[in-house]
Amino acid sequence: RSGKLTPSQVAKNIIATLEDCDKSTPPLRAIVQWDQEQIMLMAEASTARYRNKCTLSYLDGIPVCLKEEFKVVPYHHRVGTVYLGTKPETEDATVAKKLREAGAIIIGASNMHELGTGTTGCNPNRYHKIPRNPYKPNHFTGGSSSGSAAAVAAGLCPVAIGTDGGGSVRIPASFCGVVGLKGTFGRISGHGCLPLSYSTVSVGPICTSVADAAIVYSVLAEPDPLYPYGLKQPKATLSDMCALDLKGLKLGVDWKYFKACDAEVLSICEKAVEHLQSFGASVVEVSLPEMEEVRVAHAICILSEMRDLLQPDLNKHFHEMNLETRATLALASQFTALDYITANRQRTRSMTFLREIFTTVNCILTPAVPSTAPRIYESDLVTGSSDLSFIVQSMRFMQLGNFTGIPGLVVPIGYSTAGLPISFQVMAKWWDEAVLLRIGLKLEQFRYQTKKPSIYYDILA
C-alpha cells in the first residue's frame, strides 16, 4: 500500500527465483509448471489496482501456488503423473477461481506425490522429480502436497493450496516447518480437484503463519453450488481469534496416544501443552477410543475409493505409473465390499465418540507427525521409495481428522538436534476452525526462534 514495492517487482523476483531454483544442485522442484507471461499479467493488473487504490482483497498481489491436483488455467492437470492432463486446462477449479477473484498472483502448479498415494513426496517421474526439503535438501518434504509446502518454506510464496486425505497438507507442512490447515470436510470446495477419495479429502492452505492461514481460509471457506458436500455448512467466522488469552478453553489430550512419537518430538510437544496452559486454558485428559480400528478403517476407505476412481488408469496406464503407486493400488484391490461397509460403520462409531468428547473439550492436542522428515537415498531418485511402515507412522495423528472430517491445524514449534522442523497439531469439532486459529496464534509464540532454511529466497529483496 505504501508503494515501496509493487506486485510487478515481486513477480519479477519470483520469475528469476523459479529459473534459479530449477538450476540449483539439487533442484528444489517445488513448482513444476509456471508461465512467465501469466505471472506478469496478474501482477501488472494488481499493481494498477494498488496505484488506483481499488484492491480486491487482502490477497491482492500476493503470490500463491496450487497443488497439481487442482485445475488451473493454462497448466496441465497432471496430478503428479506423466499420463494425465495431456492438454492445457481451460477451466479453473473453484479455489483457483476464488484466488484469482481475490487478486492473488498464481505463480504455478506445485509438485505432488503421484496421484496423492504417499506421504514422502517422492515422485521420480520425468515431469516431477523429487522436491527437496528447504531445511535439509537431502530429506523429503513429506506428501502428498509436497511442492506446496516446499514452495512456502523456501520463500517462493507465502500461500500454497493443498489437499489432505491422510495428512497430505499437514504432513508436508510439518516436515517443512510451516503452517498447514485442513478444513472441515466440505468447508473449502474441492470442485475441479481430481476426486481421488471423495469421503476423506479436505482442501486447505499451507502458509508462513497462522494469520496468513486465517486470511486464506476466510477467502476460500464458503458453500460452492458445484460441490455438494459443503452446501449446508455454517458461516465461516474468525470469532475470538485474536483474544488475548485462552481462558475458558478446554484442551483435550489422550496422553497414551500423544506419547507414541520420537523422544525429541515428545519433549518439545509436552512443553507446548504447558505453554498453552500459561494462557489460561485447562488441559483435560480424554480417551480417544478404537484408534487402531480408525487407522485400519481410514486406510480401507481412502484406498478403496482411490482404487475405484483409478481402475481405468490401472488398465490403461499401469506401466506409466511409479512402482510405488502400482504397489499401493495393488494392495487397495485386496479390500472387499464388506471391508468397505465395515470401515464406514466404524466411521459412524468414531464420529459418535467425537461428538461426545467435544461436549467436554474445545479441541484435541497431538504432536503433528511422530518423527522428523526422512532422508532421501540415491535409489529413491531413480526408482522411488516404498516404505509402508513409514507411511503408517507418518499418518498416526492425521487419520482421525480425515476419517471423521474434523478440522486440524499444524504449527511449527521447534527443531530437532539435526535442525529439522517439529510441529504440533490442534483438532476441533466440525466447522470450528476459528478455535484452531485462536490456539494456533498462541502456539506460534512458543517457538523462540525461526531458523532460516538452507534453501531460502527473499522475493521482496
Side-chain angles (χ1 to χ4, degrees):
R1 282 180 185 162
S2 70
K4 277 184 202 159
L5 196 65
T6 66
S8 297
Q9 282 168 285
V10 175
K12 280 178 187 144
N13 291 350
I14 290 170
I15 289 161
T17 301
L18 288 169
E19 285 168 347
D20 182 63
C21 63
D22 272 352
K23 290 187 195 119
S24 63
T25 312
L28 179 63
R29 298 307 293 157
I31 308 290
V32 287
Q33 297 184 58
W34 57 279
D35 182 302
Q36 182 170 339
E37 200 182 327
Q38 289 288 324
I39 296 170
M40 285 315 298
L41 274 172
M42 285 181 268
E44 278 155 12
S46 177
T47 300
R49 288 192 293 273
Y50 274 97
R51 199 169 45 236
N52 301 323
K53 299 196 170 26
C54 61
T55 50
L56 299 170
S57 79
Y58 283 124
L59 289 181
D60 207 325
I62 302 296
V64 304
C65 67
L66 290 95
K67 184 179 187 178
E68 206 183 53
E69 205 171 315
F70 294 95
K71 294 181 175 182
V72 182
V73 180
Y75 302 111
H76 295 264
H77 188 216
R78 291 192 179 119
V79 201
T81 69
V82 294
Y83 64 84
L84 286 173
T86 51
K87 292 191 173 78
E89 257 332 291
T90 54
E91 198 182 330
D92 276 331
T94 297
V95 284
K97 186 165 165 277
K98 281 176 115 44
L99 289 167
R100 271 190 222 276
E101 287 165 357
I105 298 167
I106 297 172
I107 66 166
S110 49
N111 205 343
M112 65 177 284
H113 206 106
E114 186 176 63
L115 296 166
T117 56
T119 61
T120 57
C122 184
N123 187 354
N125 75 42
R126 66 180 184 271
Y127 286 141
H128 297 87
K129 300 292 177 221
I130 318 293
R132 303 299 180 134
N133 190 317
Y135 276 91
K136 280 201 179 280
N138 58 342
H139 286 248
F140 284 118
T141 54
S144 63
S145 308
S146 50
S148 295
V152 173
L156 293 174
C157 52
V159 175
I161 308 298
T163 59
D164 191 314
S168 284
V169 158
R170 293 164 293 157
I171 293 169
S174 304
F175 282 165
C176 293
V178 289
V179 172
L181 172 66
K182 177 196 97 70
T184 303
F185 178 76
R187 176 62 107 178
I188 297 173
S189 173
H191 174 73
C193 178
L194 194 71
L196 289 163
S197 163
Y198 51 84
S199 78
T200 67
V201 174
S202 295
V203 176
I206 294 175
C207 300
T208 35
S209 69
V210 173
D212 289 354
I215 291 168
V216 180
Y217 167 74
S218 66
V219 168
L220 297 180
E222 65 174 0
D224 173 11
L226 300 170
Y227 191 68
Y229 302 123
L231 288 177
K232 297 267 173 39
Q233 63 177 277
K235 193 163 172 47
T237 71
L238 299 176
S239 62
D240 293 334
M241 180 181 149
C242 297
L244 293 174
D245 55 40
L246 299 176
K247 282 187 183 127
L249 287 186
K250 292 184 174 137
L251 317 176
V253 180
D254 179 332
W255 285 109
K256 182 172 178 250
Y257 181 58
F258 190 101
K259 288 178 176 175
C261 58
D262 291 359
E264 215 173 3
V265 173
L266 178 61
S267 146
I268 197 164
C269 286
E270 285 177 329
K271 291 190 186 90
V273 174
E274 288 166 19
H275 168 79
L276 293 175
Q277 281 176 288
S278 73
F279 286 99
S282 55
V283 169
V284 178
E285 283 204 39
V286 294
S287 167
L288 296 171
E290 302 179 5
M291 289 309 293
E292 184 54 25
E293 287 82 350
V294 165
R295 186 177 74 75
V296 175
H298 167 266
I300 290 169
C301 285
I302 190 168
L303 288 171
S304 299
E305 289 168 10
M306 282 181 155
R307 171 75 199 201
D308 169 50
L309 179 84
L310 297 170
Q311 187 58 49
D313 300 46
L314 268 173
N315 294 341
K316 215 166 150 189
H317 300 285
F318 181 81
H319 293 291
E320 294 168 90
M321 288 176 172
N322 289 338
L323 295 171
E324 184 198 8
T325 309
R326 294 185 217 174
T328 305
L329 293 172
L331 171 68
S333 68
Q334 301 305 302
F335 299 129
T336 64
L338 184 60
D339 293 329
Y340 186 71
I341 290 163
T342 309
N344 275 292
R345 285 188 178 138
Q346 178 63 44
R347 194 190 317 245
T348 307
R349 280 177 69 84
S350 296
M351 288 172 83
T352 308
F353 294 142
L354 280 179
R355 262 189 207 102
E356 188 59 36
I357 289 167
F358 284 126
T359 60
T360 58
V361 297
N362 299 90
C363 63
I364 295 165
L365 307 180
T366 70
V369 192
S371 62
T372 52
R375 258 201 79 127
I376 297 171
Y377 292 97
E378 280 302 307
S379 61
D380 300 336
L381 305 175
V382 185
T383 52
S385 160
S386 180
D387 183 346
L388 272 179
S389 66
F390 169 76
I391 291 178
V392 169
Q393 181 203 12
S394 64
M395 294 199 300
R396 176 176 179 84
F397 301 117
M398 301 285 144
Q399 291 173 287
L400 182 64
N402 295 112
F403 191 50
T404 62
I406 60 172
L409 176 76
V410 297
V411 179
I413 55 168
Y415 305 90
S416 67
T417 46
L420 284 160
I422 291 172
S423 294
F424 192 87
Q425 176 174 240
V426 192
M427 293 181 281
K429 67 177 184 293
W430 300 270
W431 317 114
D432 198 6
E433 287 87 349
V435 79
L436 298 182
L437 296 162
R438 178 181 172 185
I439 295 166
L441 281 177
K442 299 293 180 267
L443 259 182
E444 273 183 326
Q445 296 173 24
F446 172 71
R447 187 175 51 162
Y448 66 93
Q449 67 172 145
T450 302
K451 291 182 180 167
K452 203 174 190 179
S454 58
I455 302 176
Y456 185 77
Y457 297 95
D458 182 356
I459 57 165
L460 303 183

